[in-house]
Amino acid sequence: MSERFQSPYPMLYVQYHLQGGARRFATIAVGYVLVCVLALLGYRRAAALDSWRTVALHALRTLAYAQGVICVLVGSNMVYRALFRDHQSRMSESHRLSPMSDISVVLGYMFGGPLQAMMLFGINLAVGTLLASIAMAPVKTFLGGNALLLSCAMTVWSLAIFWGVGHNKPVSPVGPLIGLLFAGKM
């Protein structure tokens, strides 16, 4: 018997409001953009650089690392926190009894849990595209790399959901990810 697809909108809506709603998202977005601008201006002044092209090249490298941390570590931790919050409040049992399909619950966790991380990813994408054009770097390469990064991050998010769904307490994927990172450097 096949399960028909239902919209994950109810889960997305709930996760959006549990994370603070429009006011908190706007505050985080404005604060993050201000931090980015101040970091660029501070780096230009501290390094005594005259060329914005050089500043943009250095900032692109830093932005690539920030994108990785935001997508993989922060995003997977946000998925874990959503699962853990539902486990503690016994909301996961309500999901099992609700008429939502399993696919819509998983998609709701996958895209609703890391909403703030996805917002920061989008801001970094816009800032990085602007910086790549200032640095005269290939924008297509920057966008392609970010698409690959988001794809890999979504794989980690789905692993976090796999580890977190069930009768047991969810497991945070951040520890194993950091362990893999250090094991890969050896």
Side-chain angles (χ1 to χ4, degrees):
M1 188 164 120
S2 68
E3 188 174 281
R4 70 181 185 92
F5 178 76
Q6 294 172 336
S7 173
Y9 178 74
M11 287 285 292
L12 292 171
Y13 180 80
V14 167
Q15 292 298 328
Y16 173 73
H17 285 287
L18 284 174
Q19 293 176 26
R23 180 174 289 172
R24 179 160 179 172
F25 276 77
T27 303
I28 290 171
V30 169
Y32 189 73
V33 169
L34 284 174
V35 165
C36 288
V37 169
L38 290 175
L40 283 171
L41 293 173
Y43 178 72
R44 182 175 184 215
R45 176 171 267 204
L49 296 172
D50 292 330
S51 170
W52 276 106
R53 182 173 186 251
T54 308
V55 172
L57 281 171
H58 291 265
L60 269 175
R61 188 174 304 122
T62 304
L63 195 65
Y65 291 123
Q67 282 288 72
V69 168
I70 287 171
C71 278
V72 177
L73 291 179
V74 174
S76 63
N77 190 46
M78 292 183 83
V79 169
Y80 160 73
R81 283 192 347 228
L83 287 163
F84 186 71
R85 182 175 46 242
D86 283 355
H87 175 76
Q88 272 190 322
S89 65
R90 301 216 185 266
M91 185 58 72
S92 55
E93 292 175 17
S94 173
H95 295 323
R96 286 190 196 99
L97 298 174
S98 71
M100 287 190 296
S101 67
D102 296 338
I103 295 169
S104 64
V105 171
V106 168
L107 288 175
Y109 279 126
M110 190 153 163
F111 296 110
L115 275 175
Q116 291 176 359
M118 289 173 50
M119 177 189 67
L120 295 178
F121 176 82
I123 291 171
N124 279 346
L125 198 63
V127 169
T129 304
L130 179 67
L131 288 173
S133 64
I134 291 172
M136 294 179 210
V139 176
K140 191 186 321 183
T141 305
F142 176 75
L143 294 176
N146 278 289
L148 181 64
L149 177 67
L150 185 61
S151 170
C152 292
M154 289 171 67
T155 302
V156 174
W157 297 347
S158 64
L159 181 64
I161 295 169
F162 177 73
W163 281 346
V165 174
H167 296 290
N168 300 332
K169 181 176 154 184
V171 177
S172 175
V174 174
L177 284 173
I178 292 175
L180 283 173
L181 177 70
F182 284 120
K185 291 289 184 182
M186 294 182 178

